[in-house]
Amino acid sequence: MRLKFSLFDAVNNTLVALVTLLMLFPFLNVFAVSISEYSAYVENPMRIWPKDISFKAYQEIMKHPVLWSSYLNTIIVTVSGVLIGIFLYLVTAYPLSKKHLRGRGLIMVAIVFTMLFNGGLIPNYYLMRELGLINTLAALVLPALITGFNLILMKTFMEHIPEELEEAARIDGASDPYILFRIVAPLSGPIIATLCLFSAVGYWNNFYNAIVYIRDVDKWPLMLFLREIIEGSKLNSIMGGGGDNAAETSNLNITPVTLQYATLMIVMIPILCVYPFLQKYFVKGIMLGSVKG
Amino acid sequence: MAQSNPDIEGSVQPIRIVAAKKESFLKYFIKNKWLYIFLIPGLLYFLIFKYAPMFGIVIAFKQLSLAKGIWGSEWIGLANFETLFSSAHFIRVLRNSILLSVYQIVFGFPAPIILALMLNEVRQMAFKRISQTILYLPHFISWVVLAGIVINFLSPTDGIANQIVTAFGGEPIKFLQEPQYFRTIIVSAEIWKGIGWGTIIYLAAMTGIDPTLYESAKIDGASRMQRILYITIPGIATTVVIMLLLSLGNILDNGFEQVFLLYNPVTYETGDIFETYTYRIGLQDGRLSYATAVGLFKSVVGFILIISANYAARKISGKSIW
């Protein structure tokens, strides 16, 4: 009996460990290649341990002026999107968390409807055009500010905050804005953290809005820059062969793998840095939203 | 969350709420003016950025000229839809969208369930937590990054996949320009990215299973496998059914980014889906009205599918997403 149990555990733990390693492998591989000489990659593309450590690829890519402007653009878009978004989530979710609010049902239906149906690409593009936002960073911020799904997450969270806390403050003469920003918001820490992570990651990674609304290189976010760097190898794999000596070619379109991997690392690092700190919140956040609502 | 304190609830809460019910709307409104003021920016946002585009779908019934604007453009009735339904592209796009989703459901849907069952059996909490942290990570990586990795892995010259193929004596394969590999590549990448994240909801369902069931099964001599088969799996069955129905409701949604970043004219045959087709004909070829019609077709069919899926989920389990 005892042996059978540990055999099960051994097999199961091994399988879980294998899947985990499969998830980790590309990250380790990208990192190892990015800080190795290109020759080390050619010798063994599967390496997860750097060989002939060299930061040449990083030095090379950091000389690219578009990297910095696109990085700055992405930071501007992410920070403003998260700050405005969280403010909007707070002020919209708070009244909707009050069961006595008249018109609440109607508003909720209207919000849920936006989760099920949308105008589609061209009407959205046309709206941005009419608002004069094509080719502006605002076009990257505005369409993704708040979503019905996340709003419902926050509303549900606020419904669970004990009413007595607010009532006590109200008796002491506190107004609704005071209650929202001084009592309810601080108590909503976990859900705010979750939505900050979701929305920051969403802005950081968004490629769709950028490719639809942005034209000029100086307004490119990071993802458009990254794609440009990757396109080089995409060309390679489409042509097959031809681009063998990617390392020797100095053509910007055909980029050596180390350079691409260094760029991938530079793009991923901020997310890899904040992720572990917010991880404990988002599992709770997503569970809350999927079970109720 | 914390239970309400009966004393306070009894003395304070009803006063406000009961009183509110009796008040006239004006009195209620003045008393709660802040709540309505708070709502203004959020509701304006939904109105402008979500509802205004819905009225833009009239573009589908017009010959939109950007100079004349939506209202100035001429009505052309259902001409765009006639073009759409009679086009060979439509059949291809519809087939690709559905096939990609079906593959995703057949191969991608069970994957997180199996992983969640395995994770649920891990007894070493530290190991479990570390695995979960790593497993969730790919969800936060952008498709642009992932596409970059995929392209390099599949590169015909020095990618890992072809190193393996040639090690076994095969000829290098140009994976990304062979239509027959396209769906496999997209679905594999989606599974890799989403498998860990997908376990969250099933693990949550598993923590809801009554532990005494396991205790009594253990006493009856059930093995670990038997406990999984007869307790855990039935225990998450409703969640599985809901998730399955909802993914059937999303059968026309394949995600723009992964396909757009990995396809090319050679693989349009198996890769072109509604999202990419709308983008190409609309923003690249400038056929705005036709592209709106394509988008509208997809939105309407998607809406009907998701409403039916949710209805079915509610019928079966009493639960639904909203």
Side-chain angles (χ1 to χ4, degrees), chain B residues 70-176:
Chain B
I70 294 186
W71 306 118
S73 298
E74 261 169 73
W75 289 97
I76 53 164
L78 296 173
N80 285 319
F81 292 91
E82 280 160 22
T83 320
L84 173 65
F85 295 135
S86 59
S87 121
H89 287 286
F90 171 68
I91 304 293
R92 185 174 80 178
V93 164
L94 187 64
R95 189 193 62 210
N96 288 343
S97 294
I98 293 174
L99 271 182
L100 200 55
S101 283
V102 167
Y103 277 39
Q104 177 62 31
I105 290 168
V106 171
F107 298 102
F109 184 77
I113 303 176
I114 296 166
L115 184 61
L117 288 170
M118 290 182 351
L119 274 170
N120 195 43
E121 295 298 323
V122 173
R123 296 282 172 263
Q124 292 70 25
M125 289 321 280
F127 172 56
K128 187 177 174 181
R129 264 199 303 273
I130 294 169
S131 305
Q132 282 179 292
T133 304
I134 295 168
L135 290 167
Y136 298 150
L137 186 57
H139 174 78
F140 295 97
I141 297 306
S142 93
W143 274 110
V144 187
V145 169
L146 189 47
I149 297 174
V150 168
I151 289 167
N152 280 313
F153 272 34
L154 299 179
S155 152
T157 50
D158 46 21
I160 290 171
N162 273 311
Q163 296 267 331
I164 296 170
V165 170
T166 46
F168 285 99
E171 283 289 302
I173 301 165
K174 297 162 190 165
F175 287 102
L176 286 169

Side-chain angles (χ1 to χ4, degrees), chain A residues 45-267:
Chain A
M46 287 163 87
R47 67 176 57 260
I48 52 171
W49 201 251
K51 191 191 168 198
D52 305 334
I53 292 184
S54 134
F55 293 94
K56 264 200 321 223
Y58 287 89
Q59 287 165 352
E60 196 65 31
I61 203 70
M62 284 182 183
K63 274 189 242 157
H64 204 301
V66 180
L67 171 76
W68 297 112
S69 66
S70 64
Y71 221 105
L72 185 66
N73 288 339
T74 293
I75 291 173
I76 294 171
V77 166
T78 305
V79 170
S80 52
V82 169
L83 290 180
I84 305 171
I86 291 298
F87 176 79
L88 278 177
Y89 279 126
L90 279 173
V91 293
T92 317
Y94 177 70
L96 293 174
S97 73
K98 299 280 159 252
K99 295 228 157 65
H100 66 80
L101 185 85
R102 295 185 188 178
R104 180 180 185 255
L106 192 70
I107 296 171
M108 287 314 297
V109 170
I111 288 170
V112 168
F113 186 70
T114 65
M115 295 159 64
L116 306 175
F117 190 82
N118 62 71
L121 171 66
I122 303 301
N124 275 299
Y125 180 85
Y126 194 83
L127 172 76
M128 286 297 162
R129 192 178 165 275
E130 289 299 290
L131 296 174
L133 295 175
I134 297 295
N135 208 9
T136 64
L137 292 184
L140 299 180
V141 177
L142 292 170
L145 268 185
I146 50 177
T147 68
F149 182 81
N150 288 348
L151 188 64
I152 291 173
L153 280 189
M154 185 169 265
K155 180 203 82 139
T156 313
F157 188 94
M158 285 177 170
E159 281 169 2
H160 289 268
I161 294 174
E163 184 83 8
E164 301 84 67
L165 286 169
E166 293 178 38
E167 291 310 327
R170 210 176 292 282
I171 287 166
D172 291 343
S175 62
D176 277 302
Y178 185 91
I179 291 172
L180 171 57
F181 292 109
R182 290 299 168 85
I183 295 171
V184 174
L187 287 171
S188 306
I191 194 72
I192 293 178
T194 308
L195 296 191
C196 275
L197 176 72
F198 286 177
S199 133
V201 169
Y203 278 116
W204 195 271
N205 286 342
N206 193 297
F207 170 69
Y208 181 78
N209 285 331
I211 199 163
V212 170
Y213 299 125
I214 299 297
R215 303 275 170 273
D216 299 347
V217 175
D218 65 330
K219 298 198 186 74
W220 272 10
L222 210 39
M223 289 302 146
L224 285 187
F225 173 73
L226 178 61
R227 178 172 175 248
E228 194 68 12
I229 295 294
I230 290 165
E231 279 291 271
S233 87
K234 189 175 176 181
L235 281 175
N236 276 355
S237 55
I238 291 164
M239 304 312 162
D244 276 69
N245 357 329
E248 283 85 37
T249 332
S250 61
N251 185 341
L252 236 178
N253 255 349
I254 304 164
T255 331
V257 171
T258 47
L259 210 60
Q260 288 172 21
Y261 280 12
T263 319
L264 293 182
M265 284 312 298
I266 291 175
V267 170

Side-chain angles (χ1 to χ4, degrees), chain B residues 18-84:
Chain B
V18 172
K21 289 247 160 73
K22 286 180 188 160
E23 283 159 1
S24 70
F25 184 79
L26 191 68
K27 252 189 177 162
Y28 173 86
F29 186 81
I30 290 166
K31 191 175 214 170
N32 293 286
K33 61 178 184 302
W34 275 109
L35 296 184
Y36 289 97
I37 293 171
F38 286 156
L39 278 173
I40 292 170
L43 295 187
L44 270 179
Y45 178 80
F46 277 97
L47 220 54
I48 297 172
F49 289 98
K50 308 281 174 184
Y51 278 95
M54 289 184 202
F55 295 102
I57 58 186
V58 296
I59 296 170
F61 306 95
K62 293 199 163 205
Q63 187 57 56
L64 181 71
S65 120
L66 285 176
K68 289 184 201 159
I70 294 186
W71 306 118
S73 298
E74 261 169 73
W75 289 97
I76 53 164
L78 296 173
N80 285 319
F81 292 91
E82 280 160 22
T83 320
L84 173 65

